[in-house]
């Protein structure tokens, strides 16, 4: 077992409920088996408190084998960031990521509404794989033009299409609810910009503090067993006018907005539950 400190400045500050993080500092942990297999872990507390972590590393015995390290981890006496790093390194050493993790799905590309979608498709064509995934907003052009565009986007109706009804209630907001192990820990309402019905923060949607309604809590409760059964620990769902519109499992956003607007240390809560799982 080996470890060494590292540190670097962030390209832009990371804003959390506990303050602004300007740099990333911590330790890299490296385990190596007698067969030469490697396992890596990173211990980098967001609060910047490195002294307890340094003391914990100093107390480690570099000669510990896998069995001793697993007992140390199960004892629950290590600082959370060191426990996470050690657990990740042991998992990689055991080959668990290769056996248990699924390959990431292809990212969906958001096409602009109207004829501009065709131009974007033509630009993307050289780099598209065998099964590209697109999101395209309808109901913004005359029916005739939109039908023509739909034929072009779908390759003359040769590509599969999933259609979702337009919900006028989106003008009052598209609520992103973040669930950790099936439980909603935070939410933010995203209001579309003037003249726009898309509420994505990336296209000008404005986040605002919000509370969950009874209907939204019921949606979360109904989803929770299925999410846990699929091993989906961190999930973001979108609810418009009391209706579930989307389940995001790849890279749900909204953590920083929840922390900033609601003052909830969502990142810390998520890590604490992950370590306790």
């Amino acid at each position: 077992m080996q470890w060494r400190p590292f540190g670097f400045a962030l390209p832009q500050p990371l804003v959390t409920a506990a303050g602004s993080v300007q740099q990333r500092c911590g330790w890299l942990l490296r385990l190596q088996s007698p067969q030469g297999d490697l396992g890596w872990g990173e211990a980098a507390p967001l609060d910047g408190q490195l002294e307890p972590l340094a003391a914990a590393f100093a107390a480690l015995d570099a000669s510990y084998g896998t069995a001793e390290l697993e007992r140390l981890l199960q004892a629950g006496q290590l600082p959370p960031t060191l426990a996470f790093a050690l657990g990740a390194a042991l998992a990689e050493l055991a080959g668990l990521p290769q056996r248990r993790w699924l390959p990431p799905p292809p990212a969906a590309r958001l096409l602009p509404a109207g004829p501009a979608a065709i131009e974007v498709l033509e630009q993307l064509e050289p780099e598209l794989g065998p099964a590209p995934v697109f999101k395209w907003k309808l109901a913004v052009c005359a029916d005739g033009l939109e039908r023509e565009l739909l034929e072009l986007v779908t390759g003359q109706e040769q590509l599969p299409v999933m259609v979702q009804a337009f919900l006028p209630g989106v003008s009052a907001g598209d609520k992103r609810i973040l669930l950790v192990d099936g439980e909603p820990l935070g939410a933010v309402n995203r209001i579309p910009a003037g003249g726009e019905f898309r509420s994505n923060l990336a296209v000008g949607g404005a986040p605002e503090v919000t509370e969950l309604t009874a209907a939204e809590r019921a949606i979360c409760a109904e989803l929770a067993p299925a999410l846990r059964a699929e091993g989906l620990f961190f999930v973001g769902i979108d609810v418009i006018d009391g209706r579930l519109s989307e389940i995001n499992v790849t890279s749900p956003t909204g953590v920083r907005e929840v922390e900033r607007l609601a003052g909830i240390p969502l990142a810390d809560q998520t890590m604490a539950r992950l370590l306790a799982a």
Side-chain angles (χ1 to χ4, degrees):
M1 177 172 58
Q2 298 175 312
W3 57 87
R4 65 178 179 84
F6 74 90
F8 57 88
L10 297 178
Q12 62 183 28
L14 174 63
V15 180
T16 73
S20 179
V21 179
Q22 305 288 337
Q23 58 183 354
R24 187 76 165 160
C25 298
W27 279 263
L28 286 177
L29 178 66
R30 178 180 183 268
L31 304 181
Q32 183 171 1
S33 71
Q35 294 75 31
D37 297 323
L38 295 177
W40 293 89
E42 176 187 311
L46 280 177
D47 60 10
Q49 298 299 314
L50 300 179
E51 291 79 7
L53 197 54
F57 269 107
L60 289 178
D61 188 334
S63 65
Y64 279 167
T66 301
E68 290 86 358
L69 292 174
E70 288 180 346
R71 283 196 293 269
L72 187 65
L73 188 62
Q74 292 171 1
Q77 301 300 314
L78 297 175
T81 49
L82 177 53
F84 179 81
L86 182 57
L90 286 169
E92 185 175 9
L93 198 63
L96 291 180
Q98 287 75 25
R99 292 201 298 264
R100 296 178 58 190
W101 291 2
L102 297 175
R109 300 175 185 268
L110 181 61
L111 297 178
I118 304 303
E119 181 180 349
V120 173
L121 277 174
E122 291 173 348
Q123 294 173 353
L124 291 175
E125 186 174 1
E127 59 185 82
L128 295 179
V133 179
F134 300 104
K135 289 183 179 180
W136 188 46
K137 303 295 184 179
L138 299 175
V140 295
C141 300
D143 284 349
L145 175 59
E146 203 145 73
R147 288 179 183 276
E148 181 181 347
L149 292 172
L150 187 58
E151 289 178 354
L152 292 172
V153 170
T154 61
Q156 299 301 319
E157 302 182 3
Q158 295 303 304
L159 295 177
V161 175
M162 182 180 69
V163 178
Q164 189 174 34
F166 176 72
L167 300 175
V170 72
S171 59
D174 178 357
K175 190 173 294 189
R176 164 58 56 86
I177 304 173
L178 294 167
L179 296 93
V180 177
D181 196 23
E183 181 181 347
L185 294 189
V188 61
N189 196 33
R190 299 167 297 180
I191 306 296
E196 176 66 79
F197 63 85
R198 294 177 297 171
S199 59
N200 310 62
L201 300 179
V203 296
E208 67 175 19
V209 67
T210 188
E211 298 288 340
L212 296 187
T213 65
E216 290 162 348
R217 291 191 178 278
I219 291 173
C220 295
E222 187 172 350
L223 284 175
L227 297 179
R228 295 190 183 105
E230 294 292 335
L232 297 172
F233 183 81
F234 184 66
V235 173
I237 67 172
D238 295 339
V239 178
I240 300 173
D241 197 19
R243 300 181 185 181
L244 178 65
S245 65
E246 193 169 345
I247 302 175
N248 296 269
V249 301
T250 305
S251 183
T253 59
V255 172
R256 287 188 290 179
E257 287 74 22
V258 170
E259 291 195 329
R260 175 169 58 86
L261 295 172
I264 299 174
L266 185 55
D268 294 340
Q269 292 180 3
T270 301
M271 292 304 300
R273 288 179 180 244
L274 181 62
L275 292 171

